Amino acid sequence: MSEKSVSQLLMQIYNKRRTQNPRYSQRAFARDLGLSSGHLSELLSDKRLPNKTTMTQLIRKLGLNGVDVDRFIEAAADSKKRKVQRKLPVVLEPEQFSIVADWEHFALVSLMKTKGFRADEQWIAERLEISRSRVSQILNQLEQAGLIKRSAGKLSSLEGNITTTQDIPSEVIRQSHTQRIGLALKSLKKDPVSIRDISAITMPANPALLPEVKKMITAFRRKVARRLGNTGKCTEVYSLNIQLFPLTHNVETEE
C-alpha cells in the first residue's frame, strides 16, 4: 500500500516546481503534462482518476522511472480502490432506518452535498420549507444514526450512498415510501413541468421477470443519481420515485 494518492503525488511535484519557480502556475503544470487545466484540476481534487493512457502520459511527461514509476502506479491503484469503497452503499437495518425514515432526513443529507450549503439551522429550514425546531431534531437523529458528524459548527456526511434492506417487508419503509408518493403528488400540483417529470406507462407483464426488472430499476436509479449528483454544480435536492406495481389481481393465487 502506498502512503500517497495520485493527487498528493502530483501536488508534491507541483509544489517542488513552485519552490524552484514561484511564478509556476497550475496552468503551466497542466501544459507541461499535456493536460487541460480542467483535467489537471479534477486529478488534483480527486474528482477524477487517470486512465491507462493518461497514466502513461504522466509518467512520460514527469520523466519518472524505476521505483518512482512503481510508486505512481501503486498510488493510482490505491486511489481507485478508495473511490470504489466510497461508492459502496451504506445499508441501514430497519431499526437504524426507523430513526431517520422521514423524507426530511435524506433531503438534509443531500442538501449538505450541494453547492453553497450552510451549516445554519435557519437556512436549512428555509431551503427544506420546514421549521427550525424540526431541523434541530433531524440533525440530532442523523447524528444518532451515525450518518453525519458535527464539529465546531461544521457538518459532514458519509461518503457513500445510503440505502435500506431490499425486498424485506417493513412498516417503517412502507411509511417512508408513502411520504415520498405524497411529495410527488404535491409537486404534481404546484411545480411547473420544466422542473419535474412525472410519467407512467401501462403494459402487459410477465411476473417471472420481476427480479430481473427490479435489478434494472436499481441500476437506473443509481445511474441517474451519478449523472445528476457528480457534476460539482448541485444546487437543489431532488427525489426520484419509480412506481412499478400490478393493476390486475391473480384470482387463482388469492383463493
Side-chain angles (χ1 to χ4, degrees), residues 125-150:
E126 292 173 0
R127 291 289 273 133
L128 297 181
E129 297 183 308
I130 58 179
S131 68
R132 183 169 180 172
S133 60
R134 178 60 174 154
V135 171
S136 180
Q137 180 185 31
I138 291 168
L139 289 173
N140 289 333
Q141 290 170 332
L142 287 170
E143 191 172 29
Q144 178 185 348
L147 300 182
I148 67 168
K149 290 183 180 180
R150 289 193 280 189

Side-chain angles (χ1 to χ4, degrees), residues 92-182:
L92 299 181
E93 295 300 326
E95 296 79 9
Q96 189 181 17
F97 180 69
S98 65
I99 302 173
V100 293
D102 293 328
W103 70 269
E104 300 105 318
H105 294 84
F106 293 97
L108 200 159
V109 171
S110 293
L111 185 63
M112 290 171 61
K113 301 175 182 179
T114 60
K115 188 176 181 180
F117 173 77
R118 302 179 196 172
D120 177 82
E121 291 187 3
Q122 184 59 41
W123 182 87
I124 295 172
E126 292 173 0
R127 291 289 273 133
L128 297 181
E129 297 183 308
I130 58 179
S131 68
R132 183 169 180 172
S133 60
R134 178 60 174 154
V135 171
S136 180
Q137 180 185 31
I138 291 168
L139 289 173
N140 289 333
Q141 290 170 332
L142 287 170
E143 191 172 29
Q144 178 185 348
L147 300 182
I148 67 168
K149 290 183 180 180
R150 289 193 280 189
S151 177
K154 294 183 179 181
L155 295 174
S156 59
S157 63
L158 292 176
E159 289 284 350
N161 296 323
I162 303 169
T163 185
T164 62
T165 52
Q166 302 293 317
D167 291 333
I168 298 178
S170 167
E171 183 59 33
V172 173
I173 294 177
R174 278 193 290 268
Q175 290 175 0
S176 178
H177 287 313
T178 300
Q179 281 187 352
R180 292 170 185 271
I181 292 171

Side-chain angles (χ1 to χ4, degrees), residues 22-89:
R23 299 181 63 183
Y24 191 71
S25 65
Q26 281 194 18
R27 184 182 296 272
F29 191 36
R31 178 202 64 213
D32 293 344
L33 295 177
L35 303 174
S36 67
S37 296
H39 191 166
L40 176 62
S41 177
E42 289 179 337
L43 290 176
L44 292 176
S45 62
D46 276 330
K47 291 181 179 179
R48 183 172 180 176
L49 294 178
N51 56 29
K52 290 182 179 180
T53 301
T54 303
M55 280 292 293
T56 301
Q57 178 178 322
L58 290 175
I59 290 170
R60 178 171 55 82
K61 293 286 187 178
L62 292 171
L64 302 179
N65 53 61
V67 176
D68 288 336
V69 172
D70 294 338
R71 184 180 175 215
F72 201 69
I73 293 175
E74 186 179 0
D78 286 350
S79 296
K80 183 176 181 179
K81 182 178 180 180
R82 285 193 293 272
K83 187 172 183 179
V84 170
Q85 289 175 335
R86 286 198 297 268
K87 287 184 176 180
L88 293 176

